[in-house]
Amino acid sequence: MGTLYLVRHGQASFGAEDYDQLSELGHRQSVRLGEYFAHKGIRFDALIAGTLRRHKQTLEGILRGMNLAGEHLAWDGLNEYDSDAVIATVHDGKLDKPADSDMYRHHFRLLRDGLSRWMAGTASPRGMPSYADFVKGVAGALDHVRQNHYGQNVLVVSSGGPISTAVGHVLNTPPQTTIELNLRIRNTSITEFAFTPKRHMLVTYNGLPHLDAAEYDGWITYA
């Protein structure tokens, strides 16, 4: 049996001109996760990450927290969907930067509606693959792990969309369940699979054991 640790990136820069970079807290979350892995004696036989900047920065922080260095396999099938393109299928014009809780809720209502249409095949967000092809990219990474790393510990750093899609793919959940999983996932959370050469089995979802102390209460984020 092998173990796959799927980690969502640290807090990025939601609402900023460039979302694809970790915030100062996102860097600290990543290092703290690495410290947790080191404390638990968890070592990885393989490292895989999406190709986005926030994926690479998160992996670098984890390794720094473990006091390790290592090469990783870059896998673009683990990259996030374009949320702006998804929202544009249900809303004309650019959204203002969310400034309060009502605007945040409005943003995520639109995202939920756009994801539903994309996953149903009734919308084609600009510059994005079909949802079926998006799933194939995620499933390809899972297949690679099963076929090449049986009996090993594998760390994968990705985003909420691919991670929830991986869970949905393994559990064969309906699209709406996958969307709800996606919108609940937290930064640097761990989703753990056990795997054999034939299949993956979900063990935990969206856990934050590295932040399970009062001193980290303000470190739990979703964007």
Side-chain angles (χ1 to χ4, degrees):
M1 198 77 73
T3 302
L4 169 60
Y5 297 85
L6 271 169
V7 170
R8 189 191 178 200
H9 60 80
Q11 184 189 53
S13 301
F14 184 73
E17 193 66 31
D18 183 8
Y19 173 76
D20 190 25
Q21 55 184 342
L22 295 190
S23 67
E24 188 273 335
L25 176 57
H27 284 287
R28 286 190 281 130
Q29 290 168 333
S30 304
V31 173
R32 173 66 195 129
L33 178 54
E35 292 170 346
Y36 167 80
F37 284 140
H39 174 72
K40 298 293 288 185
I42 298 171
R43 293 292 184 269
F44 299 107
D45 302 290
L47 305 171
I48 305 173
T51 64
L52 301 178
R53 188 184 306 128
R54 58 191 184 271
H55 299 156
K56 298 174 186 176
Q57 291 173 340
T58 299
L59 180 57
E60 289 168 358
I62 292 170
L63 293 176
R64 187 158 61 251
M66 298 179 75
N67 197 27
L68 294 174
E71 297 297 319
H72 74 277
L73 174 65
W75 195 283
D76 59 12
L78 292 167
N79 289 348
E80 185 63 286
Y81 55 77
D82 183 342
S83 61
D84 289 339
V86 170
I87 289 173
T89 65
V90 294
H91 180 272
D92 292 332
K94 185 174 177 62
L95 287 175
D96 292 331
K97 177 180 177 180
D100 55 40
S101 59
D102 286 340
M103 293 180 71
Y104 276 102
R105 283 193 290 269
H106 178 60
H107 173 95
F108 286 105
R109 278 196 297 270
L110 292 173
L111 180 59
R112 182 182 281 105
D113 291 346
L115 287 172
S116 296
R117 293 188 60 191
W118 175 47
M119 294 168 80
T122 59
S124 300
R126 185 181 182 89
M128 282 175 46
S130 68
Y131 183 65
D133 285 340
F134 183 82
V135 173
K136 286 179 184 177
V138 175
L142 295 177
D143 291 344
H144 172 84
V145 170
R146 286 190 296 101
Q147 293 164 5
N148 294 278
H149 298 293
Y150 176 58
Q152 298 182 340
N153 285 341
V154 180
L155 174 64
V156 169
V157 178
S158 184
S159 291
I163 293 172
S164 59
T165 297
V167 173
H169 177 70
V170 169
L171 299 183
N172 195 29
T173 65
Q176 284 306 124
T177 301
T178 301
I179 291 172
E180 293 306 316
L181 289 170
N182 182 185
L183 298 182
R184 300 294 186 273
I185 194 165
R186 299 171 292 187
N187 296 114
T188 63
S189 64
I190 304 168
T191 294
E192 183 181 343
F193 288 98
F195 66 92
T196 71
K198 293 186 177 180
R199 67 190 183 111
H200 283 84
M201 295 148 283
L202 183 65
V203 178
T204 66
Y205 178 72
N206 198 26
L208 293 172
H210 55 300
L211 302 181
D212 189 20
E215 63 189 292
Y216 303 118
D217 283 349
W219 290 36
I220 298 173
T221 58
Y222 292 81

